[in-house]
Amino acid sequence: EPEVTQTPSHQVTQMGQEVILRCVPISNHLYFYWYRQILGQKVEFLVSFYNNEISEKSEIFDDQFSVERPDGSNFTLKIRSTKLEDSAMYFCATTFSGGVAKNIQYFGAGTRLSVL
Amino acid sequence: AQKITQTQPGMFVQEKEAVTLDCTYDTSDPSYGLFWYKQPSSGEMIFLIYQGSYDQQNATEGRYSLNFQKARKSANLVISASQLGDSAMYFCAMRENGYNQGGKLIFGQGTELSVKP
C-alpha cells in the first residue's frame, strides 16, 4: 500500500541551527501539508502546499519556516534558526485531488525534532 | 475559538467490549468533513473513518463506526469488540468547506484509550 515517507525519524539539533525535514508524498497526490504535535498536545496545522506554492499557512508558520518541493518528489520543511519551542513531532500529510469529497489526508510516521 | 472538542482525556475498556469516544465540533460552514485518526505509542497517525456533512448514513469501516448527530454537532467514534491493539490515542478532526479538496484539518485534544485484557 502506498505510504508517505518521512526522514529522518529523529533529528537532534542545537538551538539556532537550520534543519530540513523531508517527506516523500504518495505518488499521485497533489496537496501536501505539514503539521506539528508538541509532546502531549494536539496536532496543529502549519502549512498546505499545492501547485508549487503555499495554499494556506497558520500563525505558527512564521519567517523561520519555509517549504518547497525542489525535485518534484521530495517535499521539505526548513526551519532556519531553531528555537527550543520548535521541539515537536512534525508530520507530513498528503491527499489526492480528484473531485472526491472526502480527500483523506494520509500521514507519514513523523519526524521527532529535539532542539537542545 | 476551539472547533473540535474531545472531553475524555482517557478511557478504559475491557477487551471484546464496545467503546464510544466523544467528539463535538463547531462550524458555521454547511459543508465539512469529519475524520478520526488513531495514534499508537509509536507515533504515526492512522486514518480510521470519514463522515461528510451531507452523508445520509453513518459511516462504518470494519469495527469502527461513526455516530453522526448533525443537529447536536457530534461525531462520536464507536469501536466494537475492542482488541488490545486498539490501545492508542484517538483524534477527531474536521475539515471545513468539505468540498475544498485542499483544506486543512483541525484536530481535537485527543482521547487516550486503554484496552484491558
Side-chain angles (χ1 to χ4, degrees), chain A residues 31 33 35 37 41-43 45 56 89 91 95 97-99 101-105 107-109, chain B residues 2 35 37 39 42-45 47 50 61 91 95 98-99 101-105 107-109:
Chain A
Y31 284 90
Y33 310 80
Y35 293 84
Q37 184 183 31
Q41 298 186 20
K42 66 179 178 181
V43 179
F45 168 77
E56 186 177 359
M89 179 77 96
F91 290 104
T95 192
S97 168
K102 59 183 179 182
N103 280 320
I104 297 159
Q105 290 185 24
F107 283 69
Chain B
Q2 190 170 355
F35 303 77
Y37 286 85
Q39 185 178 42
S42 49
E44 70 269 33
M45 295 284 286
F47 166 74
Y50 164 85
E61 292 281 353
F91 289 98
R95 187 183 66 227
Y99 292 84
Q101 296 159 355
K104 66 179 184 280
L105 294 177
F107 284 84
Q109 294 281 4

Side-chain angles (χ1 to χ4, degrees), chain A residues 30-92:
Chain A
L30 299 177
Y31 284 90
F32 314 120
Y33 310 80
W34 285 102
Y35 293 84
R36 80 169 185 192
Q37 184 183 31
I38 294 171
L39 189 62
Q41 298 186 20
K42 66 179 178 181
V43 179
E44 301 173 290
F45 168 77
L46 291 177
V47 66
S48 58
F49 190 84
Y50 171 71
N51 201 25
N52 284 319
E53 61 182 27
I54 291 174
S55 304
E56 186 177 359
K57 60 183 180 180
S58 71
E59 60 274 12
I60 302 168
F61 194 87
D62 62 22
D63 292 344
Q64 294 298 318
F65 292 88
S66 63
V67 288
E68 63 175 359
R69 199 165 181 226
D71 55 9
S73 59
N74 287 293
F75 176 53
T76 63
L77 174 69
K78 183 191 291 186
I79 309 175
R80 191 149 44 104
S81 177
T82 50
K83 308 184 188 83
L84 294 175
E85 54 265 36
D86 293 328
S87 295
M89 179 77 96
Y90 288 80
F91 290 104
C92 173

Side-chain angles (χ1 to χ4, degrees), chain B residues 31-113:
Chain B
S31 176
Y32 52 90
L34 297 157
F35 303 77
W36 279 91
Y37 286 85
K38 172 184 178 182
Q39 185 178 42
S41 57
S42 49
E44 70 269 33
M45 295 284 286
I46 302 166
F47 166 74
L48 294 178
I49 195 166
Y50 164 85
Q51 180 83 43
S53 59
Y54 294 118
D55 293 344
Q56 296 295 317
Q57 294 189 330
N58 287 341
T60 59
E61 292 281 353
R63 293 187 299 112
Y64 304 107
S65 59
L66 202 153
N67 184 0
F68 181 47
Q69 298 188 41
K70 195 170 181 178
R72 297 177 63 182
K73 293 188 174 177
S74 74
N76 298 339
L77 176 70
V78 180
I79 306 175
S80 63
S82 297
Q83 301 171 357
L84 295 178
D86 294 334
S87 294
M89 184 73 87
Y90 289 81
F91 289 98
C92 180
M94 177 175 68
R95 187 183 66 227
E96 290 181 320
N97 192 6
Y99 292 84
N100 171 10
Q101 296 159 355
K104 66 179 184 280
L105 294 177
I106 302 163
F107 284 84
Q109 294 281 4
T111 295
E112 185 163 12
L113 177 67

